[in-house]
């Protein structure tokens, strides 16, 4: 795999890559969820195109007091995994190369980012929007792949692409889970043994809520209360949100309509886990 650190070199190399090119942006600490993105990228480009990835722990999407310093780093292992998975190029810039010290331009989404995780993490999605826009400019991918676990991020990125006319197809890839249902996430590494054991509650509750919603015998308020109460049964869980929203707008949905997105965010200690269930 070719590792590129300089943004301008990345821009030049990208122009000559075999097309179509499918791009998997990551912050490293790769797990099976990322490899599922790479695998789907290969399906999209078939044998003629290129699969590229980035590894960049983007400082602008971490708020003050968040885990930027502790975020797991495993660069050599990540590059090996990407190489084995058939990735041709890895873009891995230093933060100073991506952001001038006096950078003063930003990219902000002002609707979808104002709810759910945007409430607990002010500024987070501004950082995501900025870095994704920069990465799209540098690599000019034909496809970019994102996990459905970060449903709000995915929705916001689709909105950037639409509103800023990026010529890239955004491809959503289903969440990859541990055998007990916990969604794979680089942040799972922070969990203690007890927290890890209890963290499977997120998906169990989402599945239970989806069953209730399908049966059609609950209102939105009832299902949200039920999810929060069930999550609290895990003694180490602190619920941030447990909601039923319209997947197109991320606003509270009407009772008993579909599609609906059931979404939860739960703290275990300082670790904030998110998960969701889409009923189409
Ligand atoms: O989902 C992530 O890993 C990050 O938010 C992303 C999209 C790579 C931007 O830094």
């Amino acid at each position: 795999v070719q590792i590129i650190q300089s943004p301008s070199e990345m821009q030049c190399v990208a122009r000559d890559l075999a097309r179509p090119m499918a791009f998997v942006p990551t912050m490293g600490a790769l797990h099976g969820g990322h490899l599922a993105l790479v695998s789907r990228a290969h399906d999209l480009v078939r044998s003629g195109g290129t699969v590229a990835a980035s590894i960049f722990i983007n400082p602008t999407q971490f708020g003050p007091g968040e885990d930027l310093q502790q975020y797991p780093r495993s660069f050599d292992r990540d590059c090996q995994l990407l190489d084995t998975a058939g990735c041709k190029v890895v873009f891995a810039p230093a933060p100073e190369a991506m952001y001038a010290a006096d950078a003063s331009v930003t990219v902000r989404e002002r609707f979808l980012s104002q709810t759910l995780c945007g409430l607990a993490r002010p500024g987070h999605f501004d950082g995501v929007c900025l870095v994704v826009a920069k990465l799209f400019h540098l690599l000019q991918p034909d496809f970019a792949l994102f996990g459905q676990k970060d449903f709000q991020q995915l929705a916001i990125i689709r909105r950037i692409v639409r509103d800023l006319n990026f010529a890239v197809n955004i491809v959503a890839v289903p969440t990859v889970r541990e055998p007990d249902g916990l969604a794979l996430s680089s942040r799972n590494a922070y969990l203690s043994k007890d927290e890890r054991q209890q963290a499977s509650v997120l998906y169990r509750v989402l599945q239970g809520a989806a069953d209730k919603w399908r049966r059609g015998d609950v209102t939105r308020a009832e299902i949200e209360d039920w999810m929060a109460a069930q999550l609290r049964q895990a003694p180490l869980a602190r619920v941030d949100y447990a909601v039923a929203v319209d997947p197109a707008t991320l606003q509270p949905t009407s009772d008993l309509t579909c599609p609906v997105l059931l979404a939860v965010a739960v703290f275990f200690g300082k670790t904030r886990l998110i998960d969701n269930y889409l009923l189409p």
Side-chain angles (χ1 to χ4, degrees):
V1 65
Q2 181 182 7
I3 298 168
I4 298 176
Q5 291 179 314
S6 142
S8 52
E9 188 187 346
M10 184 66 250
Q11 215 153 18
C12 289
V13 170
R15 285 190 202 113
D16 294 335
L17 291 176
R19 299 278 163 167
M21 191 256 272
F23 172 47
V24 178
T26 83
M27 298 207 301
L30 301 188
H31 51 64
H34 297 111
L35 297 180
L37 299 179
V38 174
S39 164
R40 180 86 182 95
H42 279 294
D43 296 343
L44 291 167
V45 303
R46 309 250 171 82
S47 49
T50 309
V51 175
S54 61
I55 298 176
F56 180 60
I57 303 179
N58 173 36
T60 64
Q61 70 188 76
F62 289 79
E66 288 194 345
D67 55 340
L68 174 59
Q69 300 310 325
Q70 297 86 49
Y71 197 83
R73 286 157 169 83
S74 51
F75 185 71
D76 293 343
R77 177 181 164 276
D78 292 345
C79 289
Q80 252 165 30
L81 284 171
L82 291 169
D83 188 35
T84 308
C87 212
K88 285 280 172 292
V89 176
V90 174
F91 179 48
E96 312 77 67
M98 280 294 267
Y99 297 113
D102 61 349
S104 55
V105 174
T106 194
V107 178
R108 175 166 297 156
E109 194 288 327
R110 289 182 303 179
F111 176 63
L112 298 169
S113 61
Q114 303 304 303
T115 181
L116 307 182
C117 294
L119 298 174
R121 306 188 64 192
H124 164 68
F125 288 117
D126 293 350
V128 172
C129 289
L130 179 59
V131 80
V132 168
K134 284 167 77 81
L135 290 167
F136 286 176
H137 278 305
L138 291 169
L139 281 97
Q140 303 279 321
D142 300 291
F143 300 97
L145 296 95
F146 297 88
Q148 265 166 5
K149 182 179 80 71
D150 298 304
F151 192 96
Q152 187 175 14
Q153 168 172 280
L154 183 59
I156 291 169
I157 290 169
R158 286 190 195 283
R159 190 58 75 91
I160 307 176
V161 166
R162 187 197 73 179
D163 289 358
L164 298 183
N165 303 93
F166 280 101
V168 53
N169 291 294
I170 301 300
V171 180
V173 176
T175 304
V176 180
R177 299 181 180 282
E178 299 279 8
D180 68 354
L182 177 66
L184 296 193
S185 160
S186 306
R187 290 193 166 97
N188 292 350
Y190 298 148
L191 298 170
S192 70
K193 198 162 161 250
D194 287 348
E195 289 167 347
R196 168 65 193 84
Q197 212 171 8
Q198 293 182 25
S200 59
V201 71
L202 274 76
Y203 192 53
R204 270 204 311 283
V205 167
L206 286 168
Q207 282 177 308
D211 286 344
K212 280 180 178 296
W213 194 273
R214 275 192 205 99
R215 284 201 298 272
D217 53 5
V218 280
T219 62
R220 178 176 57 80
E222 283 165 351
I223 204 84
E224 291 182 348
D225 289 348
W226 183 85
M227 287 195 290
Q230 294 297 309
L231 290 167
R232 283 194 202 100
Q233 303 270 316
L236 299 173
R238 187 163 54 84
V239 180
D240 178 9
Y241 63 72
V243 293
V245 294
D246 178 337
T249 61
L250 305 183
Q251 301 301 305
T253 185
S254 317
D255 291 336
L256 300 177
T257 50
C258 276
V260 65
L261 180 78
L262 304 167
V264 295
V266 179
F267 283 98
F268 283 89
K270 283 186 176 165
T271 310
R272 187 169 176 282
L273 301 180
I274 57 172
D275 203 351
N276 63 76
Y277 197 112
L278 179 65
L279 274 167

